[in-house]
Amino acid sequence: MRDYKSDIRPDEINHQSKHRLYVEGDEDSFDYFALNILFENKLSIKPLGPVFYLKSAAEAFYRDHPNYYYLVDRDHHDDKFIQDCWDNFRTQKKHNLIVWKRREIENYFIEPDYLINSEYCKVSKKELKRKILELSKTRLFLDAANYVVIAVREELKQNWIQKFSNLEEFPNEDAALEKLTTAIEFKNQASKVSEKVSTNYLKERFNKHLHLMTGGQKNISFGTGSWLNLIEGKNVLSQIINTSFGVPVVDGTQLSIKEKRNLIIWDLLKVKKNFPSDFIELKQLIQARLNAGNIE
């Protein structure tokens, strides 16, 4: 049995590199582990915590650190926003933010045509598809509802009011309270919040996303809708690995669930058959920056 630990060691990365790819989570996160393998330790990859930190850094440090790149989950973003991020990365005109085209990196590993290539898969492709479909069906409505929660939550965080700046309008306590309590922005925001938490709006958002996932079909199936891209891949991948993959025991030592997963992912990322096109494109985008020889 091959040992991914002897092949991939994040501490062997050339940390003198001027180019860095920041990802969500910490050094124990799946993103950090998988991307180190994908880039074969030829790029400095650093975890930066929650997605909010990455988005803020992408906006704040773009000009001072043009060789710092930020990769985040899809979350609530639509196809246009995501494609704009990938296109912008090529032209280098704005922030260096890239958003996965699928919900999260795990979604690329629940693609049956790719997943079946692992030497540790112990079921047929037909059975693998059946299990992925079954697990995804049980999550469909939960994930559609959670999409609405994330979308509304993020939309309401937008910077909808600016601080006051005209000192002359605040000569005393009464004047200050008058300006504060009559600011039209508060009334407008209250109206927006009321709309976005209304029953009709929530139903509309839920049905729209569910339709996107199912393709308008009553039941999901392979080849219809975008459910395979938008389902919570992390959960599905974990269950598939636990039930459909086997890793030989070495010297009587049983691998932990995480070690088993890491070994399987390491194995898959070495396989080029049906390799996810987004992985190829991401590497090409980063390599183009490396070849350009930008300096901080």
Side-chain angles (χ1 to χ4, degrees), residues 45-75:
I45 298 175
K46 294 182 176 295
L48 197 60
V51 61
F52 171 76
Y53 292 172
L54 279 86
K55 289 182 177 179
S56 298
E59 294 284 353
F61 301 135
Y62 166 66
R63 297 189 182 281
D64 292 333
H65 301 289
N67 300 322
Y68 288 5
Y69 319 124
Y70 307 86
L71 180 61
V72 301
D73 291 344
R74 178 187 178 107
D75 291 330

Side-chain angles (χ1 to χ4, degrees), residues 91-107:
T91 59
Q92 304 181 41
K93 291 181 179 179
K94 297 181 181 178
H95 54 72
N96 285 330
L97 179 70
I98 303 179
V99 182
W100 282 121
K101 297 177 183 179
R102 299 194 177 193
R103 175 163 178 168
E104 50 198 359
I105 189 173
E106 286 89 347
N107 286 72

Side-chain angles (χ1 to χ4, degrees), residues 26-272:
D26 54 30
E27 292 188 355
D28 288 326
S29 71
F30 182 83
D31 299 59
Y32 180 71
F33 172 80
L35 286 163
N36 268 302
I37 300 173
L38 180 64
F39 283 94
E40 303 172 297
N41 289 338
K42 296 177 181 178
L43 177 67
S44 178
I45 298 175
K46 294 182 176 295
L48 197 60
V51 61
F52 171 76
Y53 292 172
L54 279 86
K55 289 182 177 179
S56 298
E59 294 284 353
F61 301 135
Y62 166 66
R63 297 189 182 281
D64 292 333
H65 301 289
N67 300 322
Y68 288 5
Y69 319 124
Y70 307 86
L71 180 61
V72 301
D73 291 344
R74 178 187 178 107
D75 291 330
H76 65 292
H77 297 298
D78 59 24
D79 290 338
K80 183 182 184 305
F81 176 87
I82 294 168
Q83 190 58 54
D84 285 347
C85 284
W86 288 69
D87 292 342
N88 167 72
F89 196 87
R90 292 186 182 88
T91 59
Q92 304 181 41
K93 291 181 179 179
K94 297 181 181 178
H95 54 72
N96 285 330
L97 179 70
I98 303 179
V99 182
W100 282 121
K101 297 177 183 179
R102 299 194 177 193
R103 175 163 178 168
E104 50 198 359
I105 189 173
E106 286 89 347
N107 286 72
Y108 293 98
F109 294 101
I110 59 173
E111 188 73 57
D113 288 341
Y114 182 47
L115 192 55
I116 194 67
N117 291 315
S118 172
E119 66 173 273
Y120 302 111
C121 185
K122 61 182 182 181
V123 300
S124 66
K125 182 178 177 180
K126 181 178 180 180
E127 176 64 9
L128 194 61
K129 293 179 71 173
R130 186 193 69 79
K131 289 191 175 185
I132 292 173
L133 188 61
E134 179 183 311
L135 289 169
S136 298
K137 281 182 178 179
T138 64
R139 299 197 55 81
L140 184 65
F141 302 117
L142 170 66
D143 286 351
N146 280 337
Y147 164 82
V148 178
V149 171
I150 296 172
V152 172
R153 185 174 63 191
E154 292 303 312
E155 288 167 4
L156 292 178
K157 288 181 182 178
Q158 294 175 358
N159 189 12
W160 49 271
I161 188 170
Q162 300 297 320
K163 292 191 300 182
F164 299 111
S165 59
N166 189 346
L167 185 60
E168 294 180 357
E169 295 178 337
F170 295 81
N172 54 54
E173 180 179 347
D174 290 339
L177 282 174
E178 177 68 15
K179 287 294 294 182
L180 180 64
T181 57
T182 60
I184 189 64
E185 290 90 345
F186 285 117
K187 294 181 180 179
N188 291 339
Q189 181 66 3
S191 176
K192 289 180 181 178
V193 171
S194 178
E195 177 190 358
K196 289 183 181 298
V197 299
S198 70
T199 299
N200 288 338
Y201 183 82
L202 296 176
K203 284 183 177 179
E204 180 183 347
R205 292 296 296 267
F206 175 83
N207 289 330
K208 182 177 180 181
H209 192 67
L210 185 62
H211 185 276
L212 180 62
M213 296 179 78
T214 65
Q217 303 300 310
K218 184 175 181 180
N219 295 310
I220 61 173
S221 60
F222 282 96
T224 61
S226 300
W227 61 270
L228 193 60
N229 293 345
L230 302 177
I231 209 76
E232 187 182 294
K234 187 190 307 294
N235 183 279
V236 175
L237 178 62
S238 176
Q239 293 185 69
I240 286 294
I241 285 178
N242 287 338
T243 60
S244 304
F245 286 73
V247 176
V249 176
V250 178
D251 298 328
T253 302
Q254 187 73 41
L255 294 180
S256 67
I257 294 176
K258 180 180 177 180
E259 289 175 327
K260 178 182 177 182
R261 180 205 67 186
N262 287 354
L263 181 59
I264 292 167
I265 296 305
W266 177 88
D267 177 58
L268 275 173
L269 285 169
K270 296 298 180 181
V271 177
K272 300 306 179 184

